[in-house]
Amino acid sequence: MRTELHRQPTSPPTDVRNLGILAHVDAGKTTVTERILYLTGAVHKQGEVHDGTTVTDFDSQERDRGITIFAAAVSCLWDGHRINLIDTPGHVDFSDEVERSLRVLDGAIAVFDAVAGVEPQSESVWRQADRHGVPRIAFVNKLDRAGADLDTAVASIRDRLHTVPLVVQLPIGSEDGFGGVVDLLRMRALLWADDGTFEEGRLPDALREEALRRRRLLEETVAELHPAALEEFCAESSVSEQTLRAALRDLTRTGEGVVVLCGSAYRNRGIEPLLEAVVAYLPSPLDVPPVRGTLDGAVQERPADPAAPFAALVFKVNSTATGRLTCLRVYSGTIRKGDTVLDAGARRHERVGRILRVQAGRHTDVDTAVAGDIVAVIGLKAARAGATLCAPAAPLVLEPPNAADPVVSVA
Ligand code: GDP
């Protein structure tokens, strides 16, 4: 199969979010993913889970296109940021795969069902993400369902995940009448129409008092955890939007709290603010500490710098009609088409034939990939999932983070 050759500049790593979506099966991971891809223009038709047309449930598409990379990662652009969505299997049976995908993520959206709240699989994946130090934001989905209740779901996040929920929205309407949210940072209302478009407007009078109460609660909770917010709270008995944003970003990255948003993916409500939160609170590859690796016992660090020696982790390998696709997270340096790289663990040299970036439904050839990128490579013959690829002149094997810890699983 022939592919068109597109030349695309590689985005600087500051603009990248390597993102996973973690959820109990049925909470809405596929629907949220679909809506993100639709909204970011990565796909032009909305798929529906129930009629089997979603891009991420793509067996038939994969066969048609002879490419299975979707199972690993898909890339889209939002507001000048490249968002790489990395698939994280929801089922505990794929625990090794979950572990591997968690290694290559810089942040995640945890999706919960607004009726069921925290469920066993979401709990186990949450703990795995804790062990890998993956910063998260929470999306309470299905607010349109009968029996949906944000407060109950938030209580289960607090009680079962032992974290501090930082609720930044107040739902407008409930169950079938769920139509929007109050953004508690801007104190503005966001209202969605049936076609998924939304309008921002003034707070409805009926919600003003409740919104003020919740904003106050958010300020108090944040001030308890964050010194700059506390200082402002003590001096002015309130915390500004700007300070709140900076504090929420810090608390997300340290894992001291989790920003909670809500919506209905099915009805296309709440996805834009979710993407805004991804960009605002979750880290870019440059914000995370350098990876560590070893060779013959000597520990080395590699920064997320395109000029540093190349090092990448293979996190998935797929055989397709296009060839053997090796999915990589580049941690440091730059890889170019035609480069020879070293599979450090196997002590074997491999040649990079093509480098592909995947936008839903299509893959695009690129000449280079840099630190922070997630790409697939064709041409590697033997490198397995979990292998480190590096510059032959600067060999190392990337360390699995917290490898000594047992894998948490749910009976
Ligand atoms: P996954 O297993 O986590 O990937 O969940 P899916 O995205 O496949 O969703 C599971 C089911 O819930 C499907 O039938 C979806 O149509 C439905 N669903 C997803 N999001 C929503 C939502 O916001 N509201 C309602 N009512 N149903 C939803």
Side-chain angles (χ1 to χ4, degrees), residues 129-178:
D130 270 344
R131 286 195 300 106
H132 286 272
V134 176
R136 273 145 284 168
I137 56 179
F139 183 69
V140 177
N141 187 33
K142 304 198 186 184
L143 232 66
D144 60 298
R145 276 187 68 191
D149 180 41
L150 178 62
D151 290 343
T152 314
V154 166
S156 79
I157 290 173
R158 180 186 299 110
D159 298 342
R160 294 188 60 178
L161 304 179
H162 310 292
T163 182
V164 181
L166 304 161
V167 183
V168 296
Q169 294 174 334
L170 165 67
I172 301 177
S174 61
E175 300 184 346
D176 208 30
F178 169 68

Side-chain angles (χ1 to χ4, degrees), residues 24 92 117-126 160-161 409-411:
H24 186 97
V92 282
V118 175
E119 296 171 270
Q121 282 162 22
S122 31
E123 209 175 324
S124 71
V125 175
W126 186 271
R160 294 188 60 178
L161 304 179
S409 62
V410 164

Side-chain angles (χ1 to χ4, degrees), residues 23-31 49 141-142 144-145 264-266:
H24 186 97
V25 70
D26 257 10
K29 185 171 83 170
T30 311
T31 311
V49 173
N141 187 33
K142 304 198 186 184
D144 60 298
R145 276 187 68 191
S264 161
Y266 186 71

Side-chain angles (χ1 to χ4, degrees), residues 37-61:
L37 295 179
Y38 179 70
L39 204 68
T40 56
V43 293
H44 296 294
K45 178 181 174 298
Q46 287 191 64
E48 295 298 348
V49 173
H50 54 77
D51 66 16
T53 57
T54 64
V55 186
T56 41
D57 271 352
F58 10 38
D59 279 354
S60 64
Q61 281 216 1

Side-chain angles (χ1 to χ4, degrees), residues 80 83 94 111 114 142 146 169 182 211 250 254 263 289 310 332 349 361 370-371 378 388 402:
I83 297 177
F94 304 127
V111 177
K142 304 198 186 184
Q169 294 174 334
V182 174
D250 292 345
T254 57
F310 170 72
S332 68
H349 288 86
V370 297
I378 295 181
T388 300
N402 311 318

